[in-house]
Amino acid sequence: MMFLDRYAHPLSESMKLLSTTAVGLAAGALLTACSSSNSSLATTQDLERAAREISMAIGETPRPMVDTGSTVPAGMESAAEATAQTAESAVQALEAAALELEQFSDELEQELSDDADTAVDATTEQAEATLEDVTPGAANALAIRTEGPAIVGEIAPEFTLRDQAGTAHSLSDFRGTPVVLEWFNHGCPFVRKHYGTDNMQGLQARYTEAGAVWLSICSSAEGKQGFTAQDDLTALVEQHGMASTAVMADADGAVGRLYGARNTPQMFVVDAAGLLVYGGAIDDNSSSSPSTVEGANNDVAEVLDALLAGEQVEPRETQPYGCAVKY
């Protein structure tokens, strides 16, 4: 350290002459503080305390002088002058040391303050950068919406239905995974268009194997076209070769109305954070003819491919087509 290198030797020499004085004691405190300042134990308080002690000691210590009017024994005058000069040099060295010690203390305190400010700024910048990278869906990852209506671009409303095995599933059970909601009615010719060509079953198998969840929901009321009792769901799955994660009956229409499902088939896609990112038709060909499946642009597949590839999907809607839901 510059301070220690510059003053350690002069201070040590001065202490030999002033060791019994207040200045000498203060100089010892200074050397101790200087030595400590080379280690991690040094603090600005140690340095400031040493500086104060030195300043007080200097103020209380008279400058050694030789009284030329008095009688000095032969051979002693030169020694007295030399001692006085040495003491004067020691006091000057201590004064300079105290000044530089105060400066060093101020610089150290400023450096520690600057380091702390830099660390806070870096942490703040990192937090801001992280927030900028968070998508709207991820920012609401823990939100559960319990009321409707379903709105594309917002958190999908929570619901609970039982599957063909009688197991209850809530939408929030599948957070962390894209979810497809498919409204179906096997008596509807538009639904038969996609099941008769194995288009729907192929999509179900393809995307559940890729890691998505596919929930097929029938909201037909009892006595209406497509109604299926809870106990008959397993037979329905086997009859049509459905490859959904779960097939569910919504006979009272509560979930269908919650999502505003108007047609069969009608599709919704929920992203891994619970955001409803798609609502509408399965594809862009509204004909009921099975021959029109091939060549149609499949909107659901397009959204799922992007989600499973880790891409951000801009929420969007299309006009659904098909039979009216038989509430």
Side-chain angles (χ1 to χ4, degrees), residues 183-189 191-192 218 220 225-227 264 323-324 326:
W183 260 263
F184 75 94
N185 161 12
H186 283 297
C188 171
V191 172
R192 291 199 299 266
C218 180
S220 294
Q225 183 190 64
F227 169 76
T264 55
C323 303
K326 304 300 190 285

Side-chain angles (χ1 to χ4, degrees), residues 120-133:
V120 171
D121 290 343
T123 301
T124 302
E125 290 176 2
Q126 183 177 3
E128 290 174 349
T130 301
L131 288 174
E132 289 176 359
D133 291 337

Side-chain angles (χ1 to χ4, degrees), residues 7-205:
Y7 292 104
H9 179 69
L11 289 174
S12 297
E13 292 300 315
S14 301
M15 285 177 63
K16 293 178 182 178
L17 295 172
L18 304 172
S19 59
T20 61
T21 68
V23 176
L25 295 175
L30 174 60
L31 286 174
T32 300
C34 290
S35 299
S36 298
S37 66
N38 277 325
S39 70
S40 59
L41 299 177
T43 65
T44 57
Q45 290 87 348
D46 295 330
L47 301 176
E48 291 170 352
R49 184 168 54 254
R52 286 196 301 270
E53 291 175 0
I54 292 169
S55 297
M56 291 174 61
I58 291 171
E60 296 170 359
T61 304
R63 296 289 193 273
M65 297 181 63
V66 176
D67 184 359
T68 56
S70 62
T71 302
V72 179
M76 293 296 293
E77 184 173 347
S78 297
E81 290 178 352
T83 299
Q85 290 175 358
T86 300
E88 180 71 17
S89 297
V91 171
Q92 291 174 354
L94 287 173
E95 289 176 335
L99 178 60
E100 185 150 340
L101 181 59
E102 291 177 356
Q103 293 174 346
F104 172 73
S105 176
D106 292 341
E107 291 172 1
L108 179 60
E109 186 173 1
Q110 183 61 49
E111 182 177 347
L112 293 174
S113 177
D114 291 345
D115 289 344
D117 291 342
T118 300
V120 171
D121 290 343
T123 301
T124 302
E125 290 176 2
Q126 183 177 3
E128 290 174 349
T130 301
L131 288 174
E132 289 176 359
D133 291 337
V134 175
T135 64
N140 294 287
L142 298 180
I144 295 179
R145 186 178 176 190
T146 58
E147 298 180 352
I151 300 174
V152 173
E154 297 186 7
I155 294 296
E158 175 77 329
F159 66 85
T160 301
L161 290 173
R162 294 187 178 277
D163 66 11
Q164 63 270 31
T167 303
H169 298 283
S170 296
L171 180 62
S172 59
D173 294 342
F174 305 110
R175 283 291 172 89
T177 304
V179 178
V180 179
L181 306 179
E182 170 210 349
W183 260 263
F184 75 94
N185 161 12
H186 283 297
C188 171
F190 293 91
V191 172
R192 291 199 299 266
K193 162 189 172 179
H194 291 285
Y195 275 91
T197 58
D198 288 332
N199 181 51
M200 191 70 79
Q201 301 95 314
L203 292 169
Q204 294 164 351

